[in-house]
Amino acid sequence: MKNPLAQIPDFGQSIWLDYIRRSFISSGELKKLIDEDDLRGVTSNPAIFEEAIAHSDDYNDTINELAKTDLSTEEIFLKLAVEDVQNAADLFKGVYEKTDALDGYVSLEVSPGLAKDTEGSIAEARSSWKTLDRKNVMIKIPGTEEGIPAIKELISEGININVTLLFGLERYRAVAEAYVEGLEARLAKGESIEHVASVASFFLSRIDTMLDPQLEEIIKTDSNRATPAKQLLGKVAIASARVAYHIYKEVFKSERFKALEAKGAKPQRLLWASTSVKNKAYDPLMYLEALIGPETVDTVPKDTLALYRENGHPADRLEQELEEAQYQLYQLEDVVGIKLLDVTKKLEEEGIEKFIKPFGSLMDVLAKKRQEAAV
């Protein structure tokens, strides 16, 4: 009997892990998750690498060696990150082959300082893709306005892209369209689109974390809007995700995409990110349980992964209550008076900062370790 975590792929969803660390790979722990829990991929970000490098001894020997070279601090970080991603990708090679290039990916993010820099993102993505030299890796590009043309260009070049930091429905649709346009451009050049892969990472818990205090303030101060506001507490992220999946089906079940599918294209799956619940009053598995469904990915932190293994109840729930989800978003805007677009714009700005800050901290830690090694 498979454990609840290992049952999720039976409903068409792939579980990826939002975590990477050198000892986690070398100890066999990652391989065990692949073998026993049907884990199908790994995502990383600057905060995860900052935690791994700054708060462990895993990298000290390599840092000591690299400190003797002429590499910059950022180049040293990239060396460390690339080695981890390559080693993890090698462990997932069997998954990649077994799923015909649908899963088995490990993601590496471009520098968070490039989130508003189209050309810089393209250049760094090309460089990282070439250095990683693995078919089953993805380069993470933030889904900012400046990221959209970068996504289209990189897909047209056959580089696998994990679009990150998506919060809003309009931006998600633009990202899906950019992927389709990138495939069409690649096909027009006479290049194969069979093994080009992408996911669109839609962030969840941060939506509720930002909205709930606003709703609570309305509940306390405005009796006319208190009831609908109360009904929306902890509900908007899941409602947004369900509506995003409806958009996914519009784009990727269309005649336009079917023409690409006939040439070997894969849809750009929605990936549920930021799935650890921040409010202790909520069920810690609520995002995972509500959004299990076909042709999706869920990237999960280690703690949430372990919790689901013991306490999960997998079932196909993603397309349940779509009309209710649409009604909740209508209520938020037209009855409660909160513009979701304003919220998601702010979340995008904060999301970029939340990756710039740990990246800066990581550079400081590496600079210090370099100095110590040089003494």
Side-chain angles (χ1 to χ4, degrees), residues 21 43 121 133 233 273 281 328 375:
R21 181 174 284 191
T43 52
S121 293
D133 193 27
L233 286 169
Q328 286 169 333
V375 172

Side-chain angles (χ1 to χ4, degrees), residues 5 30 59 80 83 88 104 129 196 210 220 267 292 295 319 342:
L5 193 59
L30 176 57
Y59 302 85
L80 300 174
E83 191 176 331
W129 174 256
V196 182
M210 180 169 283
K220 280 191 289 185
I292 296 171
E295 298 179 7
E319 292 188 90
D342 294 342

Side-chain angles (χ1 to χ4, degrees), residues 122 126 129 152-159 182 186 189:
I122 291 170
R126 284 174 179 155
W129 174 256
K152 178 183 172 182
E153 175 57 34
L154 293 164
I155 290 295
S156 78
E157 295 177 17
I159 295 173
R186 183 165 176 79
K189 294 187 290 189

Side-chain angles (χ1 to χ4, degrees), residues 126-314:
R126 284 174 179 155
S127 174
S128 293
W129 174 256
K130 187 177 179 183
T131 303
L132 284 164
D133 193 27
R134 300 289 190 278
K135 290 178 181 177
N136 61 322
V137 296
M138 286 186 173
I139 308 300
K140 288 177 91 171
I141 302 283
T144 56
E145 202 172 323
E146 297 83 359
I148 301 290
I151 292 157
K152 178 183 172 182
E153 175 57 34
L154 293 164
I155 290 295
S156 78
E157 295 177 17
I159 295 173
N160 300 327
I161 299 297
N162 177 339
V163 185
T164 188
L165 288 179
L166 287 173
F167 300 95
L169 296 169
E170 290 178 23
R171 184 59 57 77
Y172 165 60
R173 188 185 286 276
V175 162
E177 294 288 344
Y179 173 69
V180 173
E181 288 168 11
L183 290 177
E184 289 170 339
R186 183 165 176 79
L187 207 55
K189 294 187 290 189
E191 302 278 359
S192 169
I193 57 174
E194 280 189 30
H195 291 100
V196 182
S198 181
V199 292
S201 298
F202 199 89
F203 280 55
L204 299 168
S205 65
R206 293 187 196 179
I207 295 174
D208 288 329
T209 300
M210 180 169 283
L211 272 171
D212 278 0
Q214 296 178 42
L215 293 168
E216 284 163 356
E217 183 63 24
I218 289 167
I219 293 164
K220 280 191 289 185
T221 60
D222 189 335
S223 59
N224 292 325
R225 295 184 292 159
T227 298
K230 194 171 186 180
Q231 291 169 343
L232 290 171
L233 286 169
K235 298 285 173 54
V236 178
I238 288 171
S240 294
R242 286 189 164 129
V243 175
Y245 189 66
H246 184 64
I247 295 169
Y248 164 85
K249 292 182 80 174
E250 285 179 3
V251 174
F252 294 105
K253 304 300 179 188
S254 67
E255 292 304 313
R256 180 187 181 189
F257 190 74
K258 281 177 184 174
L260 292 168
E261 223 165 14
K263 303 282 188 180
K266 291 178 169 60
Q268 179 194 59
R269 290 178 297 170
L270 268 164
L271 177 151
W272 311 126
S274 185
T275 53
S276 59
V277 174
K278 307 296 188 285
N279 188 332
K280 288 186 167 59
Y282 297 154
D283 178 351
L285 298 177
M286 72 178 194
Y287 297 120
L288 269 77
E289 295 285 34
L291 300 176
I292 296 171
E295 298 179 7
T296 56
V297 181
D298 200 328
T299 186
V300 185
K302 267 183 90 182
D303 291 349
T304 312
L305 197 81
L307 191 63
Y308 199 91
R309 187 189 296 114
E310 299 302 319
N311 302 296
H313 297 94

Side-chain angles (χ1 to χ4, degrees), residues 61-71 76 370 373-374:
D61 290 346
T62 311
I63 292 168
N64 289 343
E65 287 301 311
L66 294 174
K68 299 169 188 171
T69 69
D70 294 329
L71 294 174
I76 288 174
R370 280 183 75 192

Side-chain angles (χ1 to χ4, degrees), residues 314-350:
D316 187 348
R317 301 186 183 95
L318 176 54
E319 292 188 90
Q320 294 175 7
E321 303 167 19
L322 173 62
E323 287 184 7
E324 174 70 9
Q326 291 167 328
Y327 180 67
Q328 286 169 333
L329 297 189
Y330 157 77
Q331 287 275 98
L332 181 73
E333 301 232 349
D334 289 34
V335 179
V336 176
I338 296 175
K339 295 295 180 193
L340 190 55
L341 185 60
D342 294 342
V343 173
T344 56
K345 277 183 178 175
K346 191 174 179 187
L347 282 166
E348 182 184 289
E349 290 163 12
E350 285 189 2

Side-chain angles (χ1 to χ4, degrees), residues 86-147:
Q86 286 177 325
N87 289 335
D90 289 344
L91 287 181
F92 278 106
K93 191 178 177 186
V95 175
Y96 176 79
E97 291 169 350
K98 187 175 72 176
T99 60
D100 190 26
L102 188 68
D103 281 309
Y105 292 96
V106 184
S107 299
L108 178 67
E109 190 150 348
V110 296
S111 172
L114 297 172
K116 302 279 189 181
D117 182 347
T118 303
E119 292 307 318
S121 293
I122 291 170
E124 187 168 312
R126 284 174 179 155
S127 174
S128 293
W129 174 256
K130 187 177 179 183
T131 303
L132 284 164
D133 193 27
R134 300 289 190 278
K135 290 178 181 177
N136 61 322
V137 296
M138 286 186 173
I139 308 300
K140 288 177 91 171
I141 302 283
T144 56
E145 202 172 323
E146 297 83 359

